[in-house]
Amino acid sequence: MGIEIPPDHPRRVSLEIREKIIEGHQASIVATAGLLAHGRGEAFDYFIGEATTELAERATRAAVASMLLARSPVISVNGNVCSLVPEDLVRLSKLTNAPLEINLFYYRKEREDAILKALQEAGAERVLGTHDRPSETIPELSSNRRKVDPDGIGKADWVLVPLEDGDRTEALRKVGKFVVTIDLNPMSRTAVYSNITIVDNVVRCMPLMVKYAKEMRSWTRERLEALIKEFNNSDNLRESIQLIIENLKQRAGNEYIAKEAFN
Ligand code: PTJ
């Protein structure tokens, strides 16, 4: 780790996560824009209370249920998620038979190699989406992300796109894929266009997905379907924004400010 973070530092967890992203950037895993993306995520995490909310838990359960029911699920990997939770990506992939596919917005061969290495070090045996593999194109997508692996996103009916910019989700939906995203910003295009949006930090959400995948693997189809049926993403996003408003209102209260400032 770059700097020693005192164990009693009030912002220790957040600083440790930052260090992972900085190290990932130094190792070419994270794009320079990934540092900015992380900062935006940090701000939204502050607003939701830096903890997994009941709403996020519910969305996570529905997401895992849909993943277990999918014919051909796939986990899309970018620089930020690889630097933050490589082991959990591999664990979830193995538990659900969903391959990992590297799919980058800011593509550089050097980054692809660094991400592949990090995933392999975390235990991945097979990684899709690398330059030596065949590729096909997602129509209506002009960014570099249009290039996908025919054995991964190409043939998938279900795609996990953890934290990313909003151009791809719409395109994936248009070609009939079920999209699950993890995004701290409930107002992002990705959040709005996904089938299921988990408004949580990937560092908390990915281990939770692993936990639920272990637990729910033995469930019947009917039980999994029931979980998805009772989930509504528009309500989920509305309630997530409401939760942020309530948190801010509470913080704006006189009592809170007085306590924080003078105790
Ligand atoms: O590795 P690449 O080249 O594929 O590039 C990846 C980034 C993330 C740089 C690229 O997709 C991008 O520019 O994304 P955006 O448009 O900045 O969107 C990132 C979204 O993720 C924002 O809505 C952030 O609030 C959210 N976010 C950031 N960090 C986290 C997060 N959501 C969950 N957990 C986080 N740790």
Side-chain angles (χ1 to χ4, degrees), residues 42-91:
E42 277 183 343
F44 277 100
D45 208 6
Y46 216 95
F47 293 160
I48 68 164
E50 294 180 308
T52 299
T53 64
E54 179 46 42
L55 285 169
E57 285 256 3
R58 213 185 301 154
T60 306
R61 284 195 295 268
V64 172
S66 64
M67 188 177 197
L68 292 169
L69 286 172
R71 171 184 42 81
S72 188
V74 62
I75 303 169
S76 182
V77 178
N78 67 16
N80 286 50
V81 77
C82 173
S83 92
L84 291 175
V85 282
E87 283 90 7
D88 288 311
L89 286 171
V90 174
R91 277 186 204 118

Side-chain angles (χ1 to χ4, degrees), residues 17 21 29-45 77-81 84 103-108 111 115 145 162-166 182-190 198-204:
I17 299 170
I21 282 282
I29 294 170
V30 174
T32 303
L35 300 174
L36 305 176
H38 184 76
R40 177 158 30 168
E42 277 183 343
F44 277 100
D45 208 6
V77 178
N78 67 16
N80 286 50
V81 77
L84 291 175
N103 186 277
L104 304 177
F105 188 75
Y106 298 98
Y107 179 84
R108 275 193 293 124
R111 290 194 59 219
I115 291 170
R145 286 209 169 104
L163 79 97
E164 70 161 36
D165 66 298
I182 307 165
D183 191 333
L184 279 160
N185 176 4
M187 290 165 281
S188 76
R189 286 182 76 83
T190 302
I198 305 167
V199 182
D200 199 8
N201 198 318
V202 292
V203 302
R204 296 188 298 267

Side-chain angles (χ1 to χ4, degrees), residues 100-168:
L100 298 169
E101 175 167 342
I102 302 174
N103 186 277
L104 304 177
F105 188 75
Y106 298 98
Y107 179 84
R108 275 193 293 124
K109 166 89 172 46
E110 189 189 337
R111 290 194 59 219
E112 180 187 292
D113 291 344
I115 291 170
L116 177 63
K117 184 166 163 257
L119 292 175
Q120 284 169 341
E121 281 171 6
E125 282 144 29
R126 185 162 170 252
V127 178
L128 304 179
T130 51
H131 74 281
D132 55 342
R133 291 202 34 93
S135 69
E136 63 181 63
T137 303
I138 296 188
E140 305 193 44
L141 190 52
S142 48
S143 73
N144 183 69
R145 286 209 169 104
R146 69 186 177 280
K147 260 181 68 185
V148 297
D149 196 309
D151 288 334
I153 295 171
K155 72 166 192 195
D157 59 340
W158 186 103
V159 190
L160 176 63
V161 288
L163 79 97
E164 70 161 36
D165 66 298
D167 71 331
R168 186 165 56 142

